[in-house]
Amino acid sequence: MKYEHDNGAISVEALNMTMKFGAFTALDEVSISIPAGSFHALLGENGAGKSTLVKCMMGFYHATDGELLVAGKQARMTDPKVAQTLGLGMVYQHFTLVPSLTAAENLVISRTDTPALIDWRRERTALDAFMAKMPFSVPLDQPVSRLAAGEKQKLEILKQLYLGNRFLILDEPTSVLTPSEADEVLGHVRALTRAGEITVLMITHKFREVSAFADDVSILRRGKYVGGGAVADLSIDEMSRAMMGEAPVVSERTRKGTQGQPLMTLHGLRTADRTGLKDIQIDDVTLHSGEILGIAGISGNGQMELMEILTGQRRIRSGTITVNGTAYGATRAEARAHAIRYLPEEPLRNACAPRMSVAENLAFRMFDIGKDGTHVFWKDNRAIAGNATTLIDAFKVKTSSPAAPIASLSGGNVQRAVLGRELTGDVKALIVSNPCFGLDFAAVSAIRDRLIEARNQGTAILLISEDLDEIMELSDRILVMSEGRIAFETPIATADVAQIGQHMAGHG
Amino acid sequence: MEPVDIGLWGVPLAILGGAIRVSTPFIFVSLGECLTERSGRINLGLEGTLVFGAMSGYAVAYETGNPFIGVLAAALAGACFGLLHGWICKFKGVNDIAVGIAMMLFGMGLAFFFGKPYIQPQAPDLPAISFGFWSDIPQVQAALQVNVLFIAGGILAVAMAWMFRSTRVGLTVRVVGDSTDAARAMGLNPDRVRLLSTAAGGALAGIGGAYLSLYYPGSWTEGISSGQGLMAIALVIFARWNPINCFWAALLFGGAGALGPALQSVGVSEGYYLFFAAPYVLTLVLLIMTSSPDRALQGAPLELSLTK
């Protein structure tokens, strides 16, 4: 095996890595070896032990047992600083750039030998010289908060190279990128590995990226090494079976023909976005009953603001929202009268009272109305308990008891509980934002089944999602949001991922 | 010299002189708070630090006969208060705002306790530099009597802005204030950076206090502060965490504070107390006008509990 490449790349081997948290074994005798200058993919479901493995390699965790060899020599990873001195660097899933600092400031301050007084003229010359050698560049003088997600991801990778790291761990580097941005970034990374400048270990769950870019793959399931080898020798089917265990049951979601009556119309909406610098402009959008209208877009292109407008959290400067022909301002009374419900993203934070019980959280839509539909003063504990039992059963919410705080539930169960609450009764419209973000395969499948089921019963669903696969799978009609506007519209029958991706990136 | 009658010109002139006089403590406290907040922590205790700085500065100046040693002592006392605040806030689950309020009351109480013997004696004042020598009009000369601390404050504002841009220390403070995670990933210790920033901020607030007792009004009394330490916090928000803006905002507040006395000097006596409320009204009006329900605060350090 190649330990060191002439251009700087180094090899890393993990031998029988074991990590125990109390009685729980997160990582069970996992061995992988990554030769210098190779592009290695680490596949696995949520909770398979991928993060634990790389955190052990980087010294954030102290492995219970096992060895790590860096460039063929044994290394004791006692501290993340040790990893840094050995040339190991990690690009995290969530950006670790400092938002208000410019790209140049971020690069210079991340160095260990930043001088006490920074001579910006000299640093800029050095940075420009460094950038000239790189296959891609980013604007250096912009605050990082103004960069697009793809540029931030590139800057994260550039930062590791700038620091002189020769073994990079990329943690789901494409989760916030469009397909074309992802291809571009990964293409550059692969070119760097081919040239022997760096060795890369990429955590992912996208098979497409593994087969298109990686040389080798290792697959983990429940903390164990369950398969791997050269990507060329493995089919996607084999990889998926190793990753999921037995092949997952893909439910056959059938779409019934529905009668699409116009339900909600947005007309000429204008408002400031959350920075107050740009405008959100939604000219003409109509949501019909019995359809799923998908809104695709890269995060930060106005979807969050659109959700806030629809939930009444953001004032509009001009324009109208009408539901069934009457003006709609998203007050609780109006939402109730028109049976419009919401499932915001991160429901634990945005649609729950985390420390209140599951039963109480499930009662948010019904606790203040009596059997005859009028407001009541006293709360009816029996009705609340009955409502909780029904929903917990119907939506298969796993909780120790209805009295447990909802914050103690796993992400998938919180999502199911809130979806259950929002879908009780005769729901005319459901407005959903990123419903499956961060959920595992089974939970994702269950949530999507529920959405299709609601659609088949005639509910109008507005699905705002950053996951293009999800949009493609669920929608009847797709809108693309870019720079605060609806940039593109297409029915699902003629939808083309490449074309949608271009509009997402703003090149329509 | 006999006062020359210069009519209504007296008002802007008195406001200018007053602005320079009144704004100095605002400059120091707001620069101190600016530094602390840029590191991601808010210190509401600066009012207490200011009062204690006024007392200790006055006491030491009286005992040693040198006002500059008094200022130094006030800075030292302020740094101790900052260190205490920063040290308490290091513990898990401690809220910096609650600690700040406790520290404010603690500082004031301690100052009143130790300050009793110094209410009567007269300590030496800080010197001022006359920039009005070119004029024969005594009002102009009075207005252009600029105290040394005001000049130091102006230089400090520029120095701090430069520090945030071009020194490792400045960038480190900004990193810690913007993202604790990024700071940890870089191997910085956010608690230590915040501790030192709070201490430095406290030292500046102490100097602001020493100015009150050693220059204007120039003696130690228990009612020496009229909330400068608290208003400086609003001022930092208005200045959007920028040291240069802090300086100008402090000058604006000082001018508003000088409005009452200036009008009084030309014989306007009606609504006199209302004009004394001008800085407070200005604080409210500016904070309302510069805020918006539709967009996030620009320039706010992201780790600040105030803006989270």
Side-chain angles (χ1 to χ4, degrees), chain B residues 126-150:
Chain B
L126 282 164
I129 302 168
S130 303
F131 287 102
F133 53 82
W134 47 271
S135 173
D136 298 331
I137 307 169
Q139 284 96 326
V140 173
Q141 289 181 351
L144 292 180
Q145 281 279 334
V146 179
N147 68 85
V148 284
L149 282 185
F150 176 81

Side-chain angles (χ1 to χ4, degrees), chain A residues 272-286:
Chain A
D273 77 344
R274 81 199 109 132
T275 60
L277 302 172
K278 285 186 288 189
D279 261 11
I280 304 293
Q281 309 190 350
I282 311 273
D283 281 323
D284 214 354
V285 174
T286 307

Side-chain angles (χ1 to χ4, degrees), chain A residues 81 96 98-101 105 109-110 114-118 120 273-276 314-315, chain B residues 162 165-168 171-172 174-175 178-179 182 185-187 293-296 298 302:
Chain A
K81 278 180 191 157
T96 54
V98 186
S100 72
L101 265 58
E105 287 173 331
I109 193 65
S110 64
T114 314
L117 295 185
I118 300 161
W120 275 116
D273 77 344
R274 81 199 109 132
T275 60
R314 178 168 291 270
R315 290 189 303 178
Chain B
W162 172 77
R165 205 179 53 243
S166 294
T167 67
R168 187 178 60 215
L171 282 184
T172 304
R174 284 169 62 197
V175 168
D178 250 13
S179 167
M186 266 174 220
D294 295 327
R295 57 163 206 250
Q298 293 294 302
L302 300 177

